Each structure stands twice: as C-alpha cells, then as structure tokens.
Amino acid sequence: MFDIAHILDVLIESYPLFMKGLWITLKLTVVSILIGTGIGLVFALFKISGIKILNWIANIYIALIRGTPLIVQIFIFYFGLAELGISAFWSAAFGLAMHNGAYIAEIFRGSIQSVDKGQMEAGRSLGMPYGLTMRRIILPQAFKRALPPLGNQFIIGLKDSSLASFIALSELFSIATTQGSRTFDEMTYLIIVGLYYLILVLLFTLLVNMLEKKLSAGE
Amino acid sequence: MKREMIRIENLKKSFGDLEVLKEVNLNVNESDVVVLIGASGSGKSTLLRCINFLEIKNGGKIVIEGEEVDPKSHNLNEVRQKVGMVFQHFNLFAHKTVLENVMEAPVMVKNEDKKEAEKDARILLDKVGLSDKADVYPAKLSGGQKQRVAIARALAMKPDIMLFDEPTSALDPELVGEVLATMKELAQEGMTMVVVTHEMGFAKEVADEVVYMHDGQIWERGTPSELFNNPKEDRTKDFLSSIL
Ligand SMILES: Nc1ncnc2c1ncn2[C@@H]1O[C@H](COP(=O)(O)OP(=O)(O)O)[C@@H](O)[C@H]1O
Ligand SMILES: [Mg+2]
C-alpha cells in the first residue's frame, strides 16, 4: 500500500502532467496575491483614513470575506464572472485575490499603525502632504514589517488555490484527483501532490527569509 | 520696528472636554528667540503644534508673517514649509540615510533638482558638524547627532521660523551641549525661534523673551532676567524653584 518504489515510478511518470498543473497553481497564486496586495493596501488605507464611510466599506468587506467559506466565494465569482465571459482561471484569480485582500488589508493596517506616529508628523511638519508622506515615509517602513506575515499569507494562498479545482481548473490538486480516479490509485497521487505543495512552500519560505535579510541590511 | 512673524490671538484648543489652551496670546518678531517654560501638561507642545497646524485650533487667530491662516481655506502644507519643527524624539526617517533625510522634502515638495538639493544638504550637514555621517542610517547615530540631523532637515526647507519642542529632553546629559550650540548658532544668524526647553542657561543667554505657561495659559512673560531673577507671580517662583 505504501510502496515507495511505486510512488517514485508514478512521480517520474506523471511529472510532465504535474508540471502543467504546477504552472497553473503558481500563476494563480502569484496573480491572486499581487492583486490581493493591491486590494489589501487600498482597504488598509481606508481603515486608517479616519473617514467614516471608508472605514465602513473596509469593515463590511473584511467581515464578508472572513465570515464566509472560501469555496463559496470562489463559486460566486465563478458563476458571476462566467456570465461576463471571464475564464475559469481569471474568476478563480479574482476570487482568491478578494479573499487574500481581506487578510492582507489587516496585515497592512497593523504594519502601518506600527510605524511610529512621529514619522508622519515629521513629514507633515516639513510641508509634505498626507499622501506623499504615506507613500514616501510610512509605507516603505510598513512594507518591510509586513513582509513576514505577507509571506505567510502567500503560503496560505498557495494552498487555498487548490480549491480552484472545484471550478474545473487544471491546477495541481485537480490533476491529482483526476489521475487518481482514472487509475484507481488515489493515495499515490495525493501523496505526490502533497510533496509538490510541500516543496513549493519550503522554497518560498527560503525566498522570503532571504528577502527579509536583504531588506533589513540597511538600518 | 521688527517685522512680526507670529501673532496669536485668543488661541483655544481642546481635546474632547479637556481645555488645553485657554485664550493664549503671543507675538514673535523677526529674529526673536522666545523660550516657553512650564510644567508638563501645561500646553507647551500643543501651542507649538498649533503654530505648525499639526493640531487645529478650536478658536482664536493665528497670523503667520502677516497673514491670518485659516486651516479650512489655506494650504497648510505651504504654511508648514515656512515653519520648521524639531521634535523631542527627533523623528528622523528611519529607512533613509542622513543625507536622504535632509533632501527628502526639498526634492519631493519643492521639486528641487536632486543635485542642487544634495549640495545644499551637504552644506547643512557641514553646518551642524555631521558631514561625515551623510551616508549613515539614523539608527547608527547618537541622540545628539540625530537631533542635529533633524535641525538640518528642517532648515533644508529654508523656513522663516523654527519651532523646537524640548529638543534636548531625550538626550544623555553629555550630548545636550552640542545641540544647544547648534541652536545658539542659528539664533545668532537671526532665525526666528520658539523653543520649549528647561535649559535655563540657554534661555538666559539666547532668549529675547521667556514665557511661563501654566494650565493652558500664559501666566507670566518677560526678558530672561526679569523672569528668572524677579518673577512676579507665586506660581512662576514655585515653578522656577522646582526646576533649579
Ligand atoms: N492628542 C491629544 N489628545 C488628548 N489629549 C492631549 C493630546 N495632546 C495633548 N493632550 C493633553 O493636553 C495637555 C497638554 O499637553 P501638552 O501640550 O503636551 O503639554 P506640555 O507640552 O506642556 O507637557 C495634557 O493634559 C495632555 O494630556
Ligand atoms: Mg510637551
């Protein structure tokens, strides 16, 4: 049942197929995290703006995303966007981006608020407008602090992208399930796909650690 | 007659129910150095922050260089360019080098050419005795060095007025002198300055007027020798004896 030689055989044999799925998973994750970072930044700025209506919008958005299962969100995006002629890939990407965005908004809000408020005052006292001070002084410092939790969110996003298999996107997990049921060898394919995710996560963790070291070099 | 740089009339400021400034009146003429003293919580910082519009007044008038500034209709960013501020905790931009700290506002706000701004910044750093620290990050500086960079950074905007909020209070005693020396030099060059400090030596030597604040009001004012040697009010006497 747990035959390592067999698993290795299947691993080598299925390698080209999984590579296609891996590519889709990576694209999906990177795109949804990038868009999610943009969304998260906007909503974080809404939350700290001190403008009531913007606070409200951000709070409602975050409550909706956090309060509902991701799979429901993905299906809503899939059926909603399909009507507009948007592909399964992009509906999944938007769904995951909106989902990641809510969590990233909280990450950014925390990291922006952790920057000493004297930094904003110093900028303002020099005649720098709020937006300019935010962009030039606060956000660069906040981004640096947000990096570890952002890396964490990237890993969560990578694993969450497996839910896109439910809307018929041939990413990693969907390849494992289709191959598994085709060959009646589900367990082997599940172990293999688990390995792919594990290696991706480990590689990415290394990358984030390197980036953090590099960024903290200056100060 | 010297030109009037700051005129404050009946200035009021509250935080919620707490009245922090109650009808404050103050005039500062060109090249004058006014030292504000008073117990913690008496409203000194709030007064300075109102002059720079980091806090928005609830009542009264603030006239900067002859022009009444209405926070609603004035571009406060332009007013702030004329009024530099130095903070107790320096507030240097932590992710920028000393040189970048000084160049930031001239380049980003005044759209100065980078080369020009760098040249000016280096002249200012030389003036505060830190030309060798241009490429260092703030975390590597002593408190006294940080504060001198902060002064250079404020001066880079070529302000007409400089506000100092307890600029030496966060410093180790042995570092106070270098910052006061820089400020003294600035005063001698004719900068208009409002300084919150409890450095009486500095006040005696440099100030044209000393203002004692108590409970959100200006309780007594006078030349340094009047206020320090012959205070009229009991509260002023009590305060002075408490800090000596
Ligand atoms: N942003 C603020 N919100 C609420 N209360 C404040 C704020 N800033 C200052 N205060 C209060 O106003 C009073 C005067 O403070 P401050 O001007 O800092 O005095 P000082 O500089 O003379 O020590 C204090 O009681 C302080 O707690
Ligand atoms: Mg104070």
Side-chain angles (χ1 to χ4, degrees):
Chain A
M1 145 107 222
F2 200 78
D3 180 349
I4 294 190
H6 173 63
I7 293 177
L8 274 177
D9 281 347
V10 177
L11 181 71
I12 292 165
E13 177 207 334
S14 64
Y15 163 83
L17 255 180
F18 271 112
M19 274 301 145
K20 280 188 194 148
L22 181 93
W23 175 236
I24 295 178
T25 290
L26 274 181
K27 263 202 311 198
L28 194 58
T29 307
V30 170
V31 166
S32 65
I33 288 283
L34 282 181
I35 301 175
T37 301
I39 294 173
L41 182 58
V42 169
F43 283 102
L45 291 173
F46 278 14
K47 279 206 89 162
I48 58 158
S49 67
I51 300 170
K52 268 214 184 88
I53 174 116
L54 297 183
N55 284 184
W56 267 71
I57 293 173
N59 285 337
I60 290 173
Y61 164 66
I62 290 169
L64 280 179
I65 295 289
R66 286 217 224 182
T68 56
L70 173 55
I71 187 69
V72 175
Q73 295 161 19
I74 288 178
F75 271 113
I76 287 178
F77 270 85
Y78 178 56
F79 287 115
L81 294 179
E83 302 216 336
L84 304 174
I86 289 171
S87 69
F89 175 83
W90 282 103
S91 356
F94 281 129
L96 287 167
M98 289 296 280
H99 184 81
N100 285 320
Y103 291 91
I104 293 175
E106 287 293 350
I107 291 173
F108 278 144
R109 184 191 54 78
S111 69
I112 290 170
Q113 284 175 341
S114 79
V115 176
D116 183 71
K117 77 184 204 326
Q119 297 280 304
M120 175 58 82
E121 297 201 330
R124 301 311 307 277
S125 79
L126 290 163
M128 294 170 70
Y130 177 86
L132 181 69
T133 314
M134 191 48 93
R135 181 164 66 79
R136 299 277 308 175
I137 307 302
I138 310 298
L139 289 183
Q141 299 184 58
F143 267 120
K144 205 178 285 183
R145 289 175 205 198
L147 205 61
L150 274 180
N152 201 33
Q153 186 60 39
F154 189 96
I155 289 170
I156 295 171
L158 174 73
K159 293 186 289 181
D160 281 351
S161 71
S162 59
L163 289 175
S165 61
F166 284 97
I167 58 170
L169 203 61
S170 320
E171 43 67 72
L172 270 180
F173 183 64
S174 130
I175 288 184
T177 50
T178 42
Q179 289 305 305
S181 53
R182 193 178 60 82
T183 59
F184 301 104
D185 195 6
E186 282 91 352
M187 190 53 106
T188 304
Y189 282 98
L190 287 174
I191 290 171
I192 290 173
V193 82
L195 279 174
Y196 276 104
Y197 281 113
L198 187 63
I199 290 168
L200 280 179
V201 168
L202 290 178
L203 282 178
F204 181 73
T205 308
L206 265 172
L207 202 76
V208 171
N209 287 346
M210 270 161 51
L211 199 64
E212 260 177 74
K213 276 223 184 78
K214 214 176 141 203
L215 278 178
S216 62
E219 306 153 41
Chain B
M1 260 297 275
K2 282 204 225 168
R3 186 156 76 107
E4 185 183 70
M5 300 299 277
I6 306 172
R7 185 168 83 244
I8 292 169
E9 290 178 17
N10 303 323
L11 182 68
K12 283 190 212 164
K13 175 68 191 173
S14 304
F15 294 108
D17 290 338
L18 183 69
E19 248 191 318
V20 176
L21 297 178
K22 309 166 181 169
E23 308 256 325
V24 170
N25 292 283
L26 183 73
N27 282 43
V28 184
N29 289 332
E30 188 164 22
S31 300
D32 276 1
V33 176
V34 173
V35 165
L36 288 178
I37 60 172
S40 167
S42 58
K44 307 178 300 292
S45 296
T46 305
L47 176 56
L48 282 196
R49 293 162 61 82
C50 283
I51 298 175
N52 201 338
F53 300 92
L54 287 176
E55 303 289 354
I56 302 301
K57 65 188 165 71
N58 298 118
K61 256 189 190 182
I62 299 177
V63 184
I64 305 285
E65 298 183 54
E67 195 176 351
E68 183 181 349
V69 180
D70 174 6
K72 287 204 185 73
S73 59
H74 266 78
N75 181 346
L76 296 181
N77 296 318
E78 278 170 17
V79 181
R80 291 195 190 101
Q81 290 175 38
K82 292 192 256 178
V83 187
M85 180 135 179
V86 172
F87 302 87
Q88 181 175 357
H89 295 290
F90 331 119
N91 299 346
L92 292 181
F93 303 139
H95 62 308
K96 293 187 176 290
T97 64
V98 164
L99 187 68
E100 288 165 350
N101 262 273
V102 180
M103 288 169 59
E104 178 69 15
V107 172
M108 296 309 295
V109 178
K110 288 189 169 169
N111 290 318
E112 275 181 29
D113 174 65
K114 268 203 171 156
K115 287 237 167 61
E116 275 305 300
E118 181 177 337
K119 213 177 84 198
D120 290 349
R122 287 191 188 278
I123 292 171
L124 282 169
L125 287 176
D126 191 43
K127 182 182 158 90
V128 299
L130 290 171
S131 30
D132 56 328
K133 299 289 184 195
D135 299 320
V136 165
Y137 283 91
K140 295 264 155 58
L141 299 177
S142 74
Q145 292 170 331
K146 283 182 193 168
Q147 198 58 298
R148 285 185 283 151
V149 174
I151 293 172
R153 178 178 67 176
L155 290 176
M157 290 302 280
K158 304 189 176 72
D160 301 328
I161 300 164
M162 285 281 282
L163 309 174
F164 294 82
D165 192 0
E166 305 207 36
T168 59
S169 301
L171 300 181
D172 293 335
E174 72 271 18
L175 301 176
V176 168
E178 61 191 61
V179 172
L180 291 181
T182 303
M183 291 167 61
K184 216 176 286 179
E185 200 183 310
L186 204 55
Q188 278 155 5
E189 288 167 10
M191 177 62 76
T192 308
M193 294 163 55
V194 182
V195 185
V196 175
T197 184
H198 292 143
E199 294 295 331
M200 295 306 147
F202 174 84
K204 280 178 190 158
E205 197 177 333
V206 182
D208 297 284
E209 187 180 34
V210 179
V211 171
Y212 169 62
M213 281 188 75
H214 175 74
D215 194 22
Q217 288 161 294
I218 290 184
W219 209 262
E220 186 169 355
R221 64 179 95 204
T223 63
S225 69
E226 279 166 5
L227 205 100
F228 292 136
N229 303 332
N230 286 309
K232 296 192 179 55
E233 302 284 338
D234 289 340
R235 278 207 190 283
T236 318
K237 287 177 199 159
D238 288 349
F239 175 74
L240 288 171
S241 61
S242 77
I243 58 166
L244 290 179

